[in-house]
Amino acid sequence: MSKILPWILLIALGLSASLHSQGDSSEASTEGQGATAAAPEKPSSEFAKLGELSSQLGIKDLWSKSKTAKDPEIKEAELKSQLRPLTKDEVKAELEAWQALVKLKATQRAEKESEVRQLEAGEARKQANSRVVELGTIIGNLADRMRIVIKAFRTVGGEVEGYEQYVNKVSSDGIPDIGASDNVFDIGAALYAWLVDPNGGIKWGLRILSFLAVLIAFKILAAFAAGLVRRAMGKVKKGSDLMRSFFVNTTRRLIFLIGLVIAVSQLGVDMTPVLAAIGATGFIVGFALQGTLSNFAAGLMILIYRPFDVGDAVDVAGVSGAVEKLTLVSTTIKSWDNKQIIVPNNSIWGNVITNITGNPVRRVDMVFGIGYSDDTEKAQKVLEEIIAAHPLVLKTPEPTIKLHELADSSVNFVVRPWAKTSDYWALYWDITRSVKERFDAEGLSIPFPQRDVHLFYENALPTPQAS
């Protein structure tokens, strides 16, 4: 927006200046001649006598040693190609030559701005303003090429901070300094002249259009790629919803981020230092957030290997309950007594994971005891009848009913029927009630833990005799 808002001001002031000039019919002919005179020269004429100017300004040595600055209008691609084989010292010489050219034009612009302030409103002032705009455009073009040389100098290990500060200070991509005049119509005319200059406003307009076009194209591409990933993930039957969502969103955001970097570069911004700063910042942030990143990595492993999903009953990291929510950092579990527990993914992945509802069928393990004096055959038959009669017990796998243990206080039978996972507790509670009722009806005891204590006396004391 900071780049677009000045454009709105440029158009408004330019139109205002245009309307103002059209309103004065008595000067129409003069203004027509002035418009012709005020038309900016082609930048190519600026450097026709560069050799003479370099001698006059004391930069002849810099200019004569340069291989690229002798042609200030060199194509950017050609400039990059010529800089590539140069050594560090040679690139530095090129950089100083380009800096001298920028300084030359910046000095000329400063002088012309001073001249504008001293002139009265009229044709001469209008021409001086147009020249300020023209010089600003030339400085912007030179600055673009100087930044290319700065980047090359940085690549070979040169210190570029001072050069970057200078070029950023004196260049404004050709945008005129409106402080050079206190007349709103002069300002409007100058801005309008910059706006229609092929190397000024039009160049920036094309850059902004290119920025928007790249951004829109990558937005569409990101949506299309995300749709492909969504359809591909939909064919993965064992994939969780969170995993699908993660890969779809990551694809969309990654492609759009790449598009944003490319789009910003269309504005002439050198993304190399920006990406380097992001990398350094990422390293620092990653070091500071080791625990969070560890949870993030564990969340990815949970997504990929899918030991459980939302809605499953699990026992993880000492917590038992139903999985309510799963993110890349933590897992939310609702305990059986309705408490919400948030467990870091690192604690889950680094410990044993028990998925209680991971399989559709479960075995119900129960133990029932009878007294040592009870009929074991009768007890076996009663238990088999109870299991066979219950509708929730599956026929396959077959249930197991065996005399299992001669315990301290009881003879124990293991009863292990199979049921659907959703019927586990209903079957467990029904069988327990049925066994108690049938054992009572059949006269089978359910012993409780007991201990007999026998006391033996040795060397008993004699019984006292009555006196």
Side-chain angles (χ1 to χ4, degrees):
M1 292 296 296
S2 61
K3 294 291 186 182
I4 296 175
L5 289 177
W7 280 50
I8 299 174
L9 177 62
L10 300 180
I11 296 172
L13 290 176
L15 291 175
S16 175
S18 177
L19 291 174
H20 175 71
S21 62
Q22 290 175 2
D24 191 356
S25 58
S26 63
E27 297 181 1
S29 172
T30 305
E31 287 180 359
Q33 295 174 359
T36 303
E41 293 181 285
K42 295 294 182 181
S44 59
S45 65
E46 285 291 328
F47 305 99
K49 298 181 179 180
L50 185 58
E52 297 178 11
L53 288 173
S54 64
S55 298
Q56 296 172 9
L57 296 171
I59 61 172
K60 185 173 182 179
D61 289 341
L62 289 176
W63 180 77
S64 62
K65 294 178 182 179
S66 172
K67 297 180 180 179
T68 60
K70 291 179 180 179
D71 180 11
E73 296 174 339
I74 185 174
K75 299 295 183 182
E76 294 184 1
E78 178 65 20
L79 176 60
K80 293 177 182 178
S81 178
Q82 292 190 23
L83 291 172
R84 194 171 296 119
L86 301 184
T87 64
K88 180 178 179 180
D89 292 338
E90 290 173 333
V91 176
K92 184 176 182 181
E94 298 296 324
L95 182 54
E96 290 178 349
W98 280 99
Q99 185 180 38
L101 287 175
V102 173
K103 182 179 178 181
L104 166 63
K105 290 304 174 183
T107 302
Q108 292 178 355
R109 182 174 65 175
E111 293 172 353
K112 187 59 66 175
E113 288 172 348
S114 178
E115 179 183 337
V116 169
R117 294 186 185 95
Q118 296 173 7
L119 291 173
E120 298 293 335
E123 195 62 33
R125 183 166 181 165
K126 186 182 295 183
Q127 291 183 21
N129 268 323
S130 296
R131 179 58 178 166
V132 170
V133 173
E134 182 183 5
L135 287 170
T137 301
I138 295 169
I139 292 171
N141 292 334
L142 292 174
D144 287 343
R145 288 159 176 80
M146 182 176 171
R147 289 189 179 98
I148 293 174
V149 184
I150 288 174
K151 184 177 180 180
F153 191 44
R154 181 192 294 113
T155 303
V156 295
E159 178 58 48
V160 300
E161 182 178 358
Y163 295 105
E164 288 179 333
Q165 291 176 351
Y166 179 79
V167 74
N168 291 333
K169 181 183 71 171
V170 301
S171 71
S172 57
D173 290 313
I175 298 176
D177 181 8
I178 61 175
S181 173
D182 55 2
N183 187 299
V184 66
F185 299 108
D186 286 347
I187 295 172
L191 292 176
Y192 184 76
W194 174 84
L195 187 62
V196 298
D197 191 336
N199 292 314
I202 292 178
K203 181 179 76 172
W204 263 105
L206 293 175
R207 284 182 176 182
I208 292 177
L209 288 176
S210 178
F211 169 81
L212 295 175
V214 171
L215 212 57
I216 293 172
F218 271 87
K219 182 77 172 178
I220 297 172
L221 178 61
F224 177 73
L228 291 179
V229 173
R230 183 182 293 107
R231 285 192 289 271
M233 294 301 299
K235 297 179 180 179
V236 181
K237 297 182 179 180
K238 294 185 178 181
S240 65
D241 293 336
L242 182 61
M243 183 177 69
R244 296 188 185 96
S245 176
F246 170 75
F247 283 110
V248 169
N249 291 332
T250 299
T251 301
R252 180 188 294 111
R253 292 168 183 169
L254 183 60
I255 293 177
F256 184 75
L257 180 61
I258 295 173
L260 181 62
V261 172
I262 296 175
V264 171
S265 68
Q266 299 301 306
L267 297 175
V269 178
D270 184 7
M271 296 302 296
T272 302
V274 176
L275 295 176
I278 292 174
T281 304
F283 176 78
I284 296 172
V285 172
F287 184 78
L289 301 177
Q290 293 182 63
T292 302
L293 293 177
S294 176
N295 288 324
F296 183 85
L300 284 178
M301 299 303 291
I302 292 173
L303 282 179
I304 295 172
Y305 289 99
R306 196 171 170 255
F308 55 81
D309 206 345
V310 175
D312 287 348
V314 296
D315 187 357
V316 294
V319 177
S320 183
V323 178
E324 193 173 52
K325 184 181 179 182
L326 178 63
T327 69
L328 289 174
V329 177
S330 64
T331 299
T332 302
I333 296 176
K334 183 162 70 173
S335 66
W336 305 126
D337 55 353
N338 206 34
K339 291 186 294 187
Q340 189 179 65
I341 304 172
I342 300 175
V343 185
N345 285 337
N346 190 36
S347 299
I348 295 175
W349 189 252
N351 291 282
V352 176
I353 300 173
T354 303
N355 190 339
I356 300 171
T357 56
N359 293 318
V361 175
R362 285 190 63 191
R363 190 181 70 186
V364 184
D365 291 353
M366 295 176 286
V367 178
F368 299 105
I370 62 173
Y372 272 90
S373 60
D374 292 327
D375 188 345
T376 57
E377 293 296 332
K378 184 178 182 181
Q380 175 91 16
K381 183 178 180 181
V382 169
L383 292 173
E384 289 175 352
E385 291 174 355
I386 293 172
I387 297 301
H390 202 287
L392 297 181
V393 176
L394 299 178
K395 302 302 180 182
T396 54
E398 294 183 356
T400 300
I401 304 173
K402 298 293 182 181
L403 195 157
H404 179 65
E405 182 184 16
L406 301 177
D408 292 341
S409 304
S410 62
V411 177
N412 294 334
F413 286 86
V414 291
V415 179
R416 296 174 177 173
W418 291 82
K420 294 180 179 179
T421 301
S422 57
D423 297 333
Y424 181 92
W425 287 109
L427 178 62
Y428 187 97
W429 292 326
D430 285 353
I431 294 296
T432 301
R433 173 180 288 273
S434 298
V435 168
K436 176 65 171 73
E437 292 173 351
R438 285 292 304 275
F439 275 17
D440 289 347
E442 298 292 340
L444 297 170
S445 63
I446 302 176
F448 51 86
Q450 58 183 344
R451 177 173 296 177
D452 293 337
V453 179
H454 301 272
L455 301 177
F456 296 94
Y457 293 95
E458 294 182 358
N459 300 324
L461 296 175
T463 302
Q465 295 181 357
S467 58

